[in-house]
């Protein structure tokens, strides 16, 4: 219980780790847009190669990235099957009993799966190489222009930080309460879904009460440390764009441009160009 | 340093005031103990000292600045640091050094200076090794030391410790106490130790006793421990060593110098034994 690491950060000092979190967030958005734009299977080779290249560069073991895909396996299979059976199409590949599998459906199912894998693989590489604090800092800085429109960018980042700080504490407490209730004879394992849900109430109520008390005390502690919102606040670690950021941005944009150009050519025929 | 003048405070909906007509001066460089049983108003007094609560009657002045003046409140809080009882509920961020930086960041210290302050503060509480750990991986005593470092990084003049050792194991508590004594002696930081443990109070220069929101006594611990009846009346007791001393005295041992802690008592007994020996 003690070693819950949120955002599964894998500390390191590789070029990928050293990138400014803002660069990583923006490039991640570009990456996601690209993988949803691509509609030719062969072109997925490029984003795949890109992710692999980034993994190698980051020194994060590949198993860490694949591990983040593991919880997804049921969803993957489910999506694949749904798409395979229920996408309308004309060119039948296989038909038995009442089921028709068309090549359009197979293609669609493949697309969905590949996109999902690339999406989760790519984003988890980002959380593996960026500490939660850098991530919230980056997000705050990126959303800063919106605070002119009263968007609470600092408050949002502060909330995320506090949540990350307290989730392990509250989880530990939930386990403690559960054990205390079990010692008094509470039963959390048997019965149907409704009964089990009901048996969670004696855990949730004290947990909520304590969370409110914690919030109250934390607010006092923050005020004692002169906290008064984002105004006039400085940061120990300032975010600064470096040469690495320019290189990374160029690579991503080049790959994206290549993919879009190739896609255009494939759709309009090589001859047309 | 801090002057509390006839301060009173009643919580909303409470039947009786949590503090009534308290007058008290915290002097620069001293180590002051505030003792009192549960609900005697210790935490309320602590919160008055840095303007977390404002007195409903009377005033609290920090270096002459009234806590009621809103524009001075950040200055006051920078000077009067506060460490609370629960080590879990005062760390804000997910990395120790970022947490220590939280205070200086709030008062707008330039980044390179924050770095220096954080390193210095962590060194003062012997936590440099844990600078990049997550707070939830630390022990209670270590978290409390980080909380102290978080205050030190604001370069305060006073540190108010509201039962900061109460939730720690004896060893962790002793560590914190030792750190506070060292900060008091070598860094000249004024310390207000709020505590229910008389042994902690015995280490301070001066102590005040709170009882049901009023000030019962304000004197050197040695003098206050003479009046056991008053302390018992306030729901407290004298330290075990004072009880032992009194028991020895009543059996005719007649120890000199009024010892109030283990060391003093030991040397008083040794001195007496020696005196008998040479007779
Ligand atoms: N938020 C609150 N609302 C209402 N009454 C309160 C509140 N906090 C404290 N009190 C009451 O004010 C009185 C003084 O409380 P205070 O917390 O200052 O005592 P304390 O000496 O710190 O006690 P403890 O040793 O338990 O920490 C108590 O009677 C308490 O019940
Ligand atoms: Mg208290």
């Amino acid at each position: 219980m003690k070693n819950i690491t949120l955002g599964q950060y894998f500390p390191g000092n590789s070029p990928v780790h050293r990138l400014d979190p803002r660069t990583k967030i923006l490039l991640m958005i570009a990456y996601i847009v690209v993988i949803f734009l691509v509609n030719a299977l062969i072109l997925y080779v490029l984003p795949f190669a890109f992710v692999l290249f980034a993994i190698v560069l980051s020194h994060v073991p590949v198993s860490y990235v694949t591990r983040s895909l593991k919880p997804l396996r049921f969803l993957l299979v489910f999506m694949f099957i749904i798409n395979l059976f229920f996408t309308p199409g004309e060119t039948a590949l296989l038909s038995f009993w009442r089921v028709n599998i068309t090549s359009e459906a197979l293609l669609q199912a493949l697309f969905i799966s590949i996109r999902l894998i690339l999406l989760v693989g790519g984003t988890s590489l980002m959380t593996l190489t960026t500490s939660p604090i850098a991530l919230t800092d980056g997000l705050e800085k990126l959303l800063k222009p919106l605070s002119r429109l009263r968007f609470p960018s600092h408050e949002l980042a502060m909330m995320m930080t506090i949540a990350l700080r307290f989730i392990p504490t509250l989880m530990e407490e939930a386990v403690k309460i559960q054990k205390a209730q079990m010692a008094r004879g509470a039963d959390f394992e048997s019965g149907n879904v409704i009964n089990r849900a009901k048996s969670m109430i004696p855990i949730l109520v004290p947990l909520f009460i304590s969370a409110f008390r914690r919030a109250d005390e934390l607010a006092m502690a923050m005020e004692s440390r002169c906290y008064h919102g984002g105004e006039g606040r400085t940061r120990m670690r300032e975010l600064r764009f470096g040469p690495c950021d320019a290189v990374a941005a160029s690579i991503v944009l080049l790959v994206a441009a290549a993919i879009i150009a190739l896609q255009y050519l494939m759709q309009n025929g090589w001859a047309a160009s | 340093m801090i002057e509390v003048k006839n301060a009173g405070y009643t919580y909303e909906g409470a039947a009786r005031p949590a503090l009534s007509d308290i007058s008290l001066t915290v002097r620069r460089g001293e180590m002051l103990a505030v003792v009192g049983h549960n609900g005697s108003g210790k935490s309320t007094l602590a919160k008055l000292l840095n303007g977390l609560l404002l007195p409903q009657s009377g005033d609290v002045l920090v270096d002459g600045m009234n806590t009621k003046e809103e524009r001075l409140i950040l200055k006051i809080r920078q000077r009067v640091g506060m460490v609370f009882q629960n080590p879990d509920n005062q760390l804000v961020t997910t990395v120790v050094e970022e947490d220590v930086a939280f205070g200086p960041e709030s008062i707008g210290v330039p980044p390179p200076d924050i770095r220096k302050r954080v390193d210095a503060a962590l060194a003062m509480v012997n936590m440099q090794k844990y600078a990049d750990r997550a707070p939830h991986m630390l022990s209670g005593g270590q978290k409390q030391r980080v909380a102290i470092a978080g205050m030190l990084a604001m370069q305060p003049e006073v540190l108010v410790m509201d039962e900061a050792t109460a939730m720690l194991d004896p060893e962790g508590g002793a560590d914190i106490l030792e750190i506070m004594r060292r900060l008091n002696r070598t860094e000249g930081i004024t310390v207000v130790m709020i505590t229910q443990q008389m042994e902690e109070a015995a280490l301070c220069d001066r102590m005040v006793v709170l009882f049901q929101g009023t000030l019962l006594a304000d004197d050197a611990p040695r003098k206050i421990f003479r009046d056991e009846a008053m302390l018992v009346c306030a729901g407290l007791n004298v330290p075990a060593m004072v009880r032992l001393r009194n028991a020895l005295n009543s059996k005719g041992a007649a120890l000199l110098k009024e010892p109030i802690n283990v060391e003093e008592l030991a040397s008083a007994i040794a001195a007496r034994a020696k005196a008998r020996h040479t007779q």
Side-chain angles (χ1 to χ4, degrees), chain B residues 21-39:
Chain B
D21 201 25
I22 299 282
S23 292
L24 168 75
T25 309
V26 181
R27 296 180 204 126
R28 195 176 296 276
E30 76 174 338
M31 200 154 165
L32 172 69
V34 176
V35 300
H37 65 107
N38 284 327

Side-chain angles (χ1 to χ4, degrees), chain A residues 134-203:
Chain A
L135 218 48
T136 47
D137 268 5
L139 210 60
E140 177 178 353
K141 271 277 164 65
L142 283 176
L143 294 174
K144 193 103 202 184
L146 288 182
S147 57
R148 287 232 181 106
L149 310 170
R150 304 230 167 151
F151 183 83
S153 59
H154 167 73
E155 286 75 5
L156 195 73
M158 197 71 229
M159 275 161 56
M160 282 170 61
T161 305
I162 292 175
L164 286 169
R165 155 75 185 85
F166 277 93
I167 285 170
T169 308
L170 290 176
M171 278 167 85
E172 240 170 74
E173 187 167 20
V175 171
K176 241 187 240 165
I177 297 172
Q178 185 180 27
K179 282 190 180 145
Q181 304 283 22
M182 269 153 71
R184 291 176 199 157
D187 177 9
F188 296 101
E189 262 105 47
S190 57
N192 58 23
V193 180
I194 293 173
N195 277 338
R196 271 200 242 174
K198 265 192 191 158
S199 72
M200 293 306 284
I201 292 174
I203 295 179

Side-chain angles (χ1 to χ4, degrees), chain A residues 216, chain B residues 11-14 16-19 36-45 47 85 162-163 194 196 210:
Chain A
D216 195 42
Chain B
Y11 286 100
E12 226 168 289
R16 54 174 197 82
L19 284 180
H37 65 107
N38 284 327
S40 58
K42 303 184 296 291
S43 298
T44 312
L45 178 61
K47 286 169 193 162
Q85 183 171 0
D162 188 357
E163 299 196 49
I194 294 178
Q196 304 210 29
L210 280 180

Side-chain angles (χ1 to χ4, degrees), chain A residues 95-173:
Chain A
S95 64
F96 55 92
W97 192 42
R98 283 201 202 152
V99 183
N100 285 312
I101 293 178
T102 63
S103 61
E104 285 88 350
L106 180 65
L107 212 58
Q108 181 70 13
L110 279 174
F111 270 131
I112 292 284
S113 316
I114 291 172
R115 279 176 186 165
L116 211 59
I117 291 172
L118 281 175
L119 183 72
V120 175
T123 45
S124 69
L125 182 65
M126 177 169 84
T127 52
L128 278 165
T129 57
T130 320
S131 71
I133 217 145
L135 218 48
T136 47
D137 268 5
L139 210 60
E140 177 178 353
K141 271 277 164 65
L142 283 176
L143 294 174
K144 193 103 202 184
L146 288 182
S147 57
R148 287 232 181 106
L149 310 170
R150 304 230 167 151
F151 183 83
S153 59
H154 167 73
E155 286 75 5
L156 195 73
M158 197 71 229
M159 275 161 56
M160 282 170 61
T161 305
I162 292 175
L164 286 169
R165 155 75 185 85
F166 277 93
I167 285 170
T169 308
L170 290 176
M171 278 167 85
E172 240 170 74
E173 187 167 20

Side-chain angles (χ1 to χ4, degrees), chain B residues 20-97:
Chain B
S20 46
D21 201 25
I22 299 282
S23 292
L24 168 75
T25 309
V26 181
R27 296 180 204 126
R28 195 176 296 276
E30 76 174 338
M31 200 154 165
L32 172 69
V34 176
V35 300
H37 65 107
N38 284 327
S40 58
K42 303 184 296 291
S43 298
T44 312
L45 178 61
K47 286 169 193 162
L48 287 181
L49 297 182
N50 76 343
L52 281 177
L53 295 177
L54 300 177
Q56 287 150 348
S57 59
D59 287 295
V60 176
L61 304 178
V62 176
D63 283 337
M65 298 182 287
N66 197 318
T67 55
K68 284 176 185 164
E69 277 195 61
E70 220 177 310
R71 63 188 176 84
L72 296 177
I73 201 71
L74 291 181
K75 260 193 185 156
I76 289 174
R77 291 194 180 141
Q78 180 266 314
R79 281 189 206 191
V80 184
M82 179 99 64
V83 177
F84 297 87
Q85 183 171 0
N86 192 327
D88 265 324
N89 299 350
Q90 38 190 329
L91 304 183
V92 190
T93 71
T94 46
V95 184
V96 165
E97 63 175 15

